[in-house]
Amino acid sequence: MIEDVYEPLKKYRDSFREKFSELTAQKFRELLEKSGIDFEANRKLVAEIKDLKNKSSDKSQKSTMLAFACVLLIIVAVACGFIAYSYSLEPEKIACLVAACVASCILAFFAAKKCVELGKQINALKSLISKKTDEAREQMRPLNELYTWDIPIALIEKTVPRLDFDPYLTTQRLDDLKRIFGWDDSFTDGKSILFSQSGVINGNPFVLGEYLRMVWSTKTYTGYKTISWRESVTDGNGRRRTVTRTQTLSASVNKPYPKFSRDRLLIYGNDAAPNLNFSRSPTGLSNAEEGFVTSIRKWFALRDLKEYSEDLDDDSDFTLMSNHEFETLFHAKNRDNEVEFRLLFTSLAQEQMLELLKDDEIGYGDDFTFIKRGKINLLHSKHLSASSLSTDPEIFHDWDFDRAHLNFKNFNENYFKNLYFSLAPLLAIPLYQQTRTYKDIYKGEIQSPPSSWEQEAIANYYGAVYFKHESSITENILKTQLVERKDGVSKVRVTANGFGGKNRVDYESVWGGDGRFHRVPIRWVEYFPVERESYMYVSENSPVPESLAHSDQKLRRNIYACI
C-alpha cells in the first residue's frame, strides 16, 4: 500500500533526499552504460585540453607583459631623443641619451618580434584546443543524446509516493481546474507562459507555471550640458585677471516604460474546505534569530491577533486557536470560515506547518505565500522564483565527462529540493491527501491535446524572435489561440505583443553658475505597442508532417512544433 506524505520535512530529511540521490546516481550509471562512451579516454583528452589552456594562458600573460614593455621602451626612446634634440647639453650627456634611445629601440624591436611569435603560438594553441574540444564533444555525443526532458520528474515520481506528473499540461487538465475547482484563467491575461509542469498529488491536480509579465513602470532619463563663461577675479597680489569657468549642468525627467519580469506560481486544486478563503505571506518571524527583539515582535503580533479575535464589532468570525505559535507564524488572519479552517489545520497539520516555517537548514523556511480561494490553492515561494523549472536536456550536455556527471547530480538534486519544498505546505495538510476527486477515483482522465499554457510555452521555447514585430525593441508577450486541429496536428495562432520605440528629446531649464538659465537636452524613448500574428503547428508524439513544416522542427518534451 502506498503511504501518504504527512511529515514532509522529516520525510525529506530521513528518506527522500538520500533515496533521490541514489536514484540519480543509478540513472546516470544506466545512461553511461547505454551510451557506451569511454569516459577514461575522455578524462585523458580533457586533461590535455586543460594543459593546453594553461599553456595558452601563460603565453598570453607573457605576450601582454612584452607588449607593455615594448610600449614603455618606445616612450623612453622618444623621450631620450626629444631631450637630446631640444636641449643644449654637454656632448657626453647627448651621447648617453642617444645610446639610451638606440638601446630602447633595439629592445623594443626584439620585444615586438617576440610578441608576434607568441601571438602565432597562442593562435596555434587555440586552434588545437578547438580541435581537441570537438573531439571531446564527439566522445560525449552518445551520452548527450540520451538525456530527455522527463528525467528529473521521473526520478521524483520514484521517490515521492502519491506524486505523479503529466507528460505535458493538457487541455483537459486545465479545463478540470476551471470546471471542477473554479480556477479563473483570466490570471494569464497580459502574461505569457514560459514553462508549465502539471501532475497530481494523490489524484488532486497541480500546475507549476513560469510566466513573463509586463507592467508599466517609470524610468529616469538624465541629460547633461557643459557651459563655460569668463569672469574677472583678483589674485593674491591684488591684480585683476580673467579666468574661464566651466560647469556641467544636469537635468532629469521621468517617463513610462514597459517593464518585463519573470515569476513562478503553483496552482493546486482540492475539494477539501471548499468554502474557505484566506491568505498568508512570510512574517519574518519564523527564521529570525531568537533574542529579545524577536520575542518582542512575536509578542506584539500575538497581541494584535488577540485584539482582532476579541473585537465584537468586526464582521469576521476569526477565533484565535490554542496553538499561539502557529497563529503567530502562519498568520492567516483574514480567514473567512473558522470551522473549515480548523478542519484543514488539525493539530498534526499545525505541527507539520510549524516545522516547515521554522526550518531553514533542510528546506527554505518561511519563504512562501499561501492563498486559498475556495477549492483553488495558490503558492508562491522565493526559492522557486529564484530557480529554473525547465528540464531542457541541453542543460546536461557537456564535453567534459566529470563535469557532466557533477552537473547531472547537482541539477537534479537541486531541482527535486526546489520542487518538493514548493509542494511541502500542501503535503503538511493531511486532509488534502485524504481528499481525492471524483474524477480520480473513477479514473475518468483521458489524454488530450496540449493546453494553451503548453502552446505558449512551446512558442517561447521556439523563441520570441521568430514571432515578434519587426519594430519591437522589447521582450514580447506571446499569446496563443487554437485555429484548427486536424489529423492530430494543431494549427495555433501566435500573437506577439511588444513595443517599438521613438527617440525623443526634452529640454529642461537649469540655472547655471554664469547667472543664466540654460536648456539641458534630455534624450528619452517613447514606447508604443506593436503586434504581429503568425502561425505555428503543434503535434504530440510524432513530427509535424513535412507538408506543413516551413522551418526546422523543435522538440519540447514529447511535443513537436514548427512555424
Side-chain angles (χ1 to χ4, degrees):
M1 181 178 178
I2 302 176
E3 296 182 359
D4 293 328
V5 182
Y6 288 149
E7 300 173 299
L9 185 67
K10 181 180 178 182
K11 285 284 189 180
Y12 180 83
R13 181 191 63 212
D14 298 343
S15 174
F16 293 158
R17 180 167 52 186
E18 183 178 353
K19 182 179 180 181
F20 185 85
S21 181
E22 291 173 353
L23 288 171
T24 301
Q26 178 184 337
K27 181 63 178 180
F28 190 82
R29 288 194 298 268
E30 291 174 0
L31 294 172
L32 179 60
E33 183 178 352
K34 187 175 181 180
S35 70
I37 68 169
D38 187 344
F39 60 88
E40 290 295 348
N42 178 264
R43 282 173 173 165
K44 183 179 179 181
L45 184 56
V46 168
E48 289 182 33
I49 294 171
K50 290 180 179 178
D51 184 57
L52 290 171
K53 286 185 175 181
N54 289 334
K55 290 180 180 178
S56 177
S57 178
D58 290 342
K59 291 183 182 295
S60 294
Q61 289 180 6
K62 290 178 182 178
S63 178
T64 301
M65 292 175 63
L66 282 170
F68 177 76
C70 184
V71 172
L72 189 61
L73 287 167
I74 291 173
I75 293 173
V76 170
V78 172
C80 290
F82 176 78
I83 293 171
Y85 178 79
S86 302
Y87 294 92
S88 299
L89 301 172
E90 295 83 352
E92 296 83 1
K93 292 183 178 180
I94 294 176
C96 289
L97 288 170
V98 171
C101 179
V102 172
S104 297
C105 289
I106 293 172
L107 290 173
F109 171 77
F110 283 108
K113 184 178 180 181
K114 186 62 177 177
C115 277
V116 173
E117 291 177 3
L118 285 172
K120 292 179 180 178
Q121 293 174 14
I122 292 169
N123 289 334
L125 283 171
K126 287 182 178 179
S127 177
L128 185 57
I129 290 170
S130 178
K131 179 182 177 182
K132 294 284 186 181
T133 303
D134 288 341
E135 290 178 19
R137 191 172 286 109
E138 182 61 24
Q139 284 180 335
M140 291 289 288
R141 182 180 55 79
L143 178 60
N144 290 337
E145 291 177 347
L146 293 178
Y147 297 123
T148 57
W149 285 85
D150 62 346
I151 286 178
I153 60 175
L155 293 172
I156 296 174
E157 284 181 330
K158 291 180 179 179
T159 303
V160 183
R162 306 288 191 187
L163 184 58
D164 298 295
F165 293 91
D166 299 326
Y168 53 85
L169 177 54
T170 64
T171 299
Q172 186 160 341
R173 178 72 76 200
L174 196 57
D175 286 345
D176 285 346
L177 279 171
K178 298 175 186 176
R179 182 171 50 84
I180 299 175
F181 301 99
W183 167 249
D184 183 0
D185 207 32
S186 64
F187 164 82
T188 60
D189 291 350
K191 303 179 183 70
S192 183
I193 303 299
L194 302 175
F195 188 87
S196 63
Q197 177 65 67
S198 61
V200 292
I201 305 174
N202 200 19
N204 295 293
F206 70 87
V207 175
L208 273 165
E210 179 179 1
Y211 56 90
L212 177 70
R213 63 179 174 179
M214 188 283 294
V215 294
W216 282 103
S217 186
T218 301
K219 186 174 182 178
T220 301
Y221 297 85
T222 304
Y224 302 92
K225 183 177 183 178
T226 300
I227 61 173
S228 62
W229 68 94
R230 295 177 67 81
E231 63 181 38
S232 207
V233 297
T234 303
D235 61 20
N237 298 320
R239 291 179 298 204
R240 300 286 296 175
R241 62 188 180 90
T242 302
V243 297
T244 300
R245 307 286 193 192
T246 60
Q247 181 185 17
T248 300
L249 305 177
S250 65
S252 300
V253 293
N254 294 321
K255 297 293 183 180
Y257 87 104
K259 182 180 180 181
F260 292 83
S261 61
R262 289 162 171 74
D263 212 340
R264 296 157 186 84
L265 182 72
L266 170 63
I267 307 164
Y268 173 67
N270 195 295
D271 287 327
N275 303 306
L276 173 63
N277 302 282
F278 72 81
S279 63
R280 65 88 52 193
S281 55
T283 63
L285 297 174
S286 302
N287 308 121
E289 185 177 347
E290 288 299 331
F292 177 75
V293 175
T294 301
S295 298
I296 292 297
R297 290 176 61 203
K298 288 182 178 180
W299 183 85
F300 275 112
L302 180 59
R303 188 198 65 175
D304 290 343
L305 287 174
K306 287 181 178 179
E307 291 179 353
Y308 184 71
S309 178
E310 295 168 358
D311 186 359
L312 300 179
D313 296 329
D314 196 286
D315 294 334
S316 170
D317 62 350
F318 173 82
T319 305
L320 195 66
M321 301 173 82
S322 59
N323 190 337
H324 290 174
E325 185 179 26
F326 171 77
E327 288 282 25
T328 302
L329 300 187
F330 193 71
H331 206 266
K333 179 180 176 181
N334 62 350
R335 56 192 187 244
D336 61 357
N337 191 310
E338 197 65 31
V339 173
E340 290 195 355
F341 186 82
R342 292 167 184 261
L343 184 67
L344 203 62
F345 290 98
T346 59
S347 296
L348 178 60
Q350 293 175 39
E351 180 184 339
Q352 301 311 319
M353 191 65 73
L354 279 174
E355 284 193 5
L356 286 175
L357 292 171
K358 293 162 68 176
D359 167 76
D360 59 359
E361 295 182 2
I362 300 168
Y364 298 98
D366 185 7
D367 79 330
F368 63 90
T369 298
F370 191 154
I371 301 171
K372 178 171 168 60
R373 293 291 178 264
K375 299 179 181 181
I376 288 292
N377 300 262
L378 305 175
L379 283 98
H380 174 276
S381 54
K382 295 178 182 177
H383 75 267
L384 188 66
S385 292
S387 60
S388 173
L389 293 177
S390 176
T391 56
D392 190 340
E394 290 190 3
I395 293 169
F396 305 120
H397 290 188
D398 206 329
W399 50 267
D400 183 334
F401 170 79
D402 289 321
R403 191 168 59 196
H405 187 190
L406 182 62
N407 179 49
F408 185 85
K409 175 182 182 297
N410 290 341
F411 176 86
N412 282 295
E413 291 180 358
N414 288 332
Y415 191 90
F416 173 50
K417 180 180 179 180
N418 289 332
L419 185 59
Y420 181 84
F421 281 102
S422 297
L423 297 170
L426 302 173
L427 299 175
I429 303 173
L431 186 60
Y432 273 169
Q433 293 181 71
Q434 295 166 1
T435 305
R436 297 175 63 191
T437 64
Y438 175 92
K439 191 170 186 118
D440 176 72
I441 294 171
Y442 293 94
K443 302 299 179 185
E445 184 69 32
I446 60 173
Q447 191 75 347
S448 67
S451 65
S452 59
W453 282 41
E454 199 69 48
Q455 291 168 359
E456 287 180 21
I458 294 166
N460 279 297
Y461 178 67
Y462 215 107
V465 66
Y466 293 98
F467 303 102
K468 71 175 187 176
H469 191 279
E470 60 182 7
S471 299
S472 175
I473 61 172
T474 65
E475 293 190 74
N476 278 248
I477 299 294
L478 303 183
K479 301 300 295 182
T480 61
Q481 183 178 13
L482 178 64
V483 177
E484 64 177 0
R485 182 170 172 82
K486 184 178 181 182
D487 299 327
V489 179
S490 300
K491 183 179 181 181
V492 179
R493 180 186 295 111
V494 182
T495 304
N497 295 285
F499 294 86
K502 293 181 180 178
N503 293 321
R504 304 293 192 190
V505 180
D506 280 4
Y507 291 90
E508 292 288 326
S509 294
V510 178
W511 182 260
D514 59 353
R516 295 189 301 162
F517 279 104
H518 298 267
R519 299 181 71 206
V520 177
I522 308 168
R523 290 170 175 78
W524 59 282
V525 178
E526 179 184 8
Y527 292 93
F528 57 90
V530 292
E531 181 180 290
R532 177 175 177 252
E533 288 187 354
S534 49
Y535 293 90
M536 175 178 69
Y537 294 91
V538 177
S539 177
E540 313 92 64
N541 303 315
S542 60
V544 176
E546 292 185 4
S547 59
L548 298 174
H550 302 295
S551 65
D552 293 335
Q553 298 200 37
K554 284 188 178 290
L555 176 65
R556 181 185 177 275
R557 296 158 96 169
N558 58 344
I559 302 175
Y560 293 84
C562 68
I563 56 176

